[in-house]
Amino acid sequence: MKILYFAHFREKTNIAEETIDLPNDVTNVETLIDWLVERNDSFADAFVDREHVRVAVNQEHVEFDMPVKVDDEIAFFPPMTGG
Amino acid sequence: MTICIQKQDFDAGYEIKRLCAKNTNIGGVCSFIGLVRETQSGSSVKAMTLEHYAGMTEKQLVKIEEEALDRWPLEESLIIHRYGRMVPSEQIVLVVTASAHRKAAFESCEFLIDWLKTKAPFWKNEETPKGKEWVQARASDDMAADRWQK
């Protein structure tokens, strides 16, 4: 599974892009975040305010209950501020 | 219907002329240009860097443009959005809409910029005297986008 981090998620985790093996207990976006924050303090800090976490699966904006699969591209980012 | 995500600046006059030359049914053109503002929440902004999610940005802008086409009888439309580092007064975004009559052009132009601000994956990072900061999303932008919900 490919995971991309944008804006403060990239800065806090110090990772722009990574590929991980899908952990057994990860079934959707919510459980993926649960797994990520267990990694270390930087991840815990990046995802501390889940209300302001936005996520895309395969470049489509989705909610946290969206199922995730091994060949998905997941992206985490804050609310958008373009224009 | 055209979407451009680019680093370089744009010339709105040139873009509008080119767009109008394509279609003789156009009777009205509306445009919006967003600029880097120096003052933001009381502090002065030296520069701003726009980051985006390449791939998803294009998809989202196409969707937003298609939504505008569904709602208004547009002859042509154009969105140019820049990314990278920009200083105050620099142009960030251009939205152009063209239709037979002005009402559709005015309304769809406002719709496109309202939706783009909250639905296209861009993030602004400002350089201020206090350091670099990510711009927070505004509730007023969400409200502006929500009023177009059907």
Side-chain angles (χ1 to χ4, degrees), chain B residues 9 34-37 82 85-92:
Chain B
D9 195 17
L35 309 178
V36 179
R37 189 176 51 237
R82 294 177 64 200
R85 190 173 182 271
M86 291 160 235
V87 297
S89 297
E90 271 195 71
Q91 306 185 116
I92 304 170

Side-chain angles (χ1 to χ4, degrees), chain B residues 17-28:
Chain B
K17 264 194 187 155
R18 194 167 67 158
L19 178 140
C20 293
K22 287 197 282 191
N23 187 328
T24 51
N25 290 322
I26 296 170

Side-chain angles (χ1 to χ4, degrees), chain A residues 4-11 52 54-56 58-61 73-83, chain B residues 50-56 59 63 81 92-93 113 116-125 134-137:
Chain A
L4 309 177
Y5 303 89
F6 289 96
H8 77 249
F9 290 92
R10 184 191 63 252
E11 287 184 346
H52 290 101
R54 298 290 179 269
V55 61
N58 300 325
Q59 304 188 347
E60 296 282 348
H61 201 178
E73 175 178 301
I74 318 287
F76 292 105
F77 44 80
M80 301 161 182
T81 56
Chain B
L50 260 145
E51 175 179 332
H52 79 112
Y53 180 0
M56 182 174 173
K59 278 190 187 172
K63 266 197 213 165
H81 204 305
I92 304 170
V93 60
I113 189 68
L116 179 161
K117 276 180 107 67
T118 57
K119 297 184 196 298
F122 285 98
W123 303 279
K124 291 180 179 136
N125 190 271
W134 291 102
V135 173
Q136 301 293 313

